[in-house]
Structure formats: C-alpha cells, structure tokens
C-alpha cells in the first residue's frame, strides 16, 4: 500500500502541467489555479485530521509557500516559452541539484567521502540527461535558449527554499500534516498577488483562472500524498518515486499537448529521461 501511495505524487505532479496546458490561459491564471486547488486540498485535510501546529511554524510555512509560488510562475512561463517536454526535465534537474547541494552544505547530508563521490556522480548523470532532453534541431518555436535556461534556473530558487524548510528545526518538530495547510495557503496568497498584479485584476474575470483549479487539485493531492509516502518509505525512497513525474509530464507534453519533437530529438529525449531517472535513483545510495 505504501508504494501505491508513493505513486500518487508522481501521477499528480506529472499530470498537473498537462492539465493546465490543456486548459490554457496565462501563467497568472495557471499559477492562481495551483494555489487555489492546493488550498482546497489543504483545508479539507486540515478539517478532517485536525493536526496541531505552532503559530511560529504556521507563519513560517506560510511565507515559504508564498516563495514557492515565485518558482511556479517561472515554470508556467517556461512552459509557454520552451514547452512542457523541455521545461520539466530541466526543472527537475535544477531542483535535484540545488536541493542536494543545499543538503550537503547546510544540512549535513552525504557525509563521508564515499557518499560525496556517489552523490556527485549521480548529479553529473542527471545533468547530462537534462542536457540531452534539451537537444533541438531548431525546427520548433519552443526550444531551450540560453535566456530561457537562465530564467528557469533563477526562478527555481523558490523551489529550493520550499524543499529545504521542512528540515529546519522550527518546522521539523511539527506534524507534517499541520504545516501543509499554511504551505498551500502561502502558495495561494503569493499566486493571487502575482495574478492580480500581472493582469491588473483582469484574471478574476477570466474563466481559465478557475478552470486551472483542476491542475491545483492534482498538485495538492500529490503533495498531501507525499507526506504519507515519506513517512512510510522515508524521504529518499519517496522522492525517487516522485521522479516518475518527469516521464509522465515529458511524454504527456509530446503526446497530449502535441509538442513537436523530431526523430533525432526524441532519441535524445528518451535517453535523457532515462539518465535523469537513473541518476535520481543513485542519489539514495549517497
């Protein structure tokens, strides 16, 4: 049962960009939808389970959730610039590499020479895989340029903060279910502010603003399921299962969103995805 639960985050996070891509709308509409949908999941879960959480942890989680929304904005903008099938592999790698480096430098992970060697070899494999998925024949309008690459990298900082904060003493002692609600409420606040400012309030009258809540429900269910998967299997194993989302999102973008890939590009994409998954699995041995 624990392994089935661990597949829910992979499915939810994998299908989220496909759902929002099908619905369409601006990056403001899509970001708002994620915040609103995730908040619905968070409120329902909180009312049913009624976990305890301190005021300090609640407020801190709220701020971290708001910072997460800046990274999600970057991802949605990148979907439109590069396509889902190009963005997701790069975003996955940026998150994995960034989180690993933060873990080594500040959280005492990968302690020992052997762990460092295995860990960094795994990261090199992942980076090579990401570069392979970015190979382009130049035939598509949605391709990875230096500007698009750097934009996605810079906005990924919000994901790094969001992924790191559960390991901080203020939050680590709390019930994960208890901090889930303020996290998603923070995402909703950040997303609402961005959407309102970016569209000068026009987003509130657009139906895509509300249809994209379906993508938010997918993301929220995935994030909530991940809490229980990590409890049962440990964070490392649970995280590896989540990496299956890169397969779903990448090939879903190609097949369901009709993002063009030439035969040459597809060979590199398939090989690159395989390396990303292999490299991700290797990190659990570090």
């Amino acid at each position: 049962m624990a392994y089935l639960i661990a597949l829910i985050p992979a499915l939810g996070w994998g299908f989220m960009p496909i759902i929002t891509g099908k619905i369409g709308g601006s990056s403001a509409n899509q970001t708002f939808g994620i915040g609103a949908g995730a908040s619905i999941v968070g409120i329902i879960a909180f009312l049913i389970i009624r976990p305890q959480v301190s005021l300090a942890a609640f407020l801190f989680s709220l701020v971290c959730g708001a910072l997460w929304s800046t990274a999600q904005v970057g991802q949605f903008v990148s979907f439109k610039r590069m396509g889902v099938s190009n963005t997701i592999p790069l975003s996955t790698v940026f998150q994995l590499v960034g989180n690993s480096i933060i873990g080594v430098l500040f959280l005492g992970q990968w302690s020992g020479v052997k762990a460092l060697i295995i860990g960094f070899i795994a990261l090199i494999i992942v980076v090579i895989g990401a570069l392979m998925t970015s190979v382009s024949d130049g035939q598509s309008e949605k391709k990875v340029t230096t500007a698009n690459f750097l934009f996605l990298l810079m906005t990924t900082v919000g994901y790094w903060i969001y992924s790191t904060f559960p390991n901080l003493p203020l939050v680590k002692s709390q019930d994960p279910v208890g901090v889930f609600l303020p996290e998603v409420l923070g995402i909703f606040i950040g997303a609402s502010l961005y959407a309102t400012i970016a569209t000068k309030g026009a987003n509130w009258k657009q139906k895509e603003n509300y249809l994209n809540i379906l993508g938010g429900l997918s993301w929220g269910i995935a994030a909530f399921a991940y809490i229980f998967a990590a409890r049962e299997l440990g964070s490392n194993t649970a995280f590896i299962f989540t990496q299956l989302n890169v397969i779903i999102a990448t090939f879903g973008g190609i097949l369901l969103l009709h993002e063009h890939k030439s035969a040459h590009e597809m060979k590199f994409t398939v090989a690159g995805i395989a390396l990303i998954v292999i490299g991700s699995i290797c990190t659990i041995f570090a």
Side-chain angles (χ1 to χ4, degrees), residues 149-228:
F149 182 95
L150 292 175
F151 174 78
L152 181 61
L153 176 60
M154 288 187 292
T155 54
T156 302
V157 173
Y159 286 144
W160 295 343
I161 294 171
Y162 178 82
S163 299
T164 303
F165 94 91
N167 294 302
L168 300 178
L170 177 63
V171 180
K172 197 170 184 179
S173 59
Q174 301 291 314
D175 185 337
V177 180
V179 297
F180 180 69
L181 176 60
E183 285 175 33
V184 293
L185 288 178
I187 292 170
F188 176 68
I189 293 170
S192 298
L193 287 173
Y194 166 73
T196 302
I197 294 171
T199 66
K200 297 181 180 179
N203 65 295
W204 298 102
K205 300 178 182 179
Q206 297 166 342
K207 65 178 182 179
E208 291 84 1
N209 210 53
Y210 306 100
L211 290 175
N212 274 295
I213 290 176
L214 293 173
L217 292 173
S218 177
W219 188 94
I221 291 170
F224 188 62
Y226 180 74
I227 293 173
F228 295 95

Side-chain angles (χ1 to χ4, degrees), residues 119-148:
F120 280 106
I121 288 176
L123 291 184
I124 290 171
I125 293 173
V126 167
V127 170
I128 292 173
L131 293 175
M132 290 178 72
T133 64
S134 304
V135 170
S136 173
D137 292 339
Q139 298 175 5
S140 173
E141 292 181 2
K142 294 185 176 181
K143 54 187 177 182
V144 181
T145 63
T146 301
N148 290 340

Side-chain angles (χ1 to χ4, degrees), residues 1-89:
M1 180 60 72
Y3 288 99
L4 291 176
I5 293 174
L7 287 173
I8 295 175
L11 293 170
W13 287 331
F15 280 113
M16 180 275 286
I18 298 171
I19 294 170
T20 56
K22 276 291 186 182
I23 292 171
S26 65
S27 58
N29 297 143
Q30 293 168 330
T31 305
F32 171 82
I34 296 300
S39 292
I40 291 172
V41 175
I43 291 170
I44 292 173
F46 196 90
L47 291 175
I48 293 174
I49 300 175
R50 296 185 179 278
Q52 297 296 315
V53 58
S54 70
L55 178 60
F58 187 98
L59 295 175
F60 184 71
S61 302
L62 196 74
V63 172
C64 289
L67 290 172
W68 180 94
S69 65
T70 64
Q72 190 58 56
V73 169
Q75 195 172 84
F76 279 131
V77 170
S78 296
F79 287 162
K80 297 185 181 300
R81 292 180 179 179
M82 299 188 291
V84 170
S85 58
N86 283 327
T87 300
I88 289 296

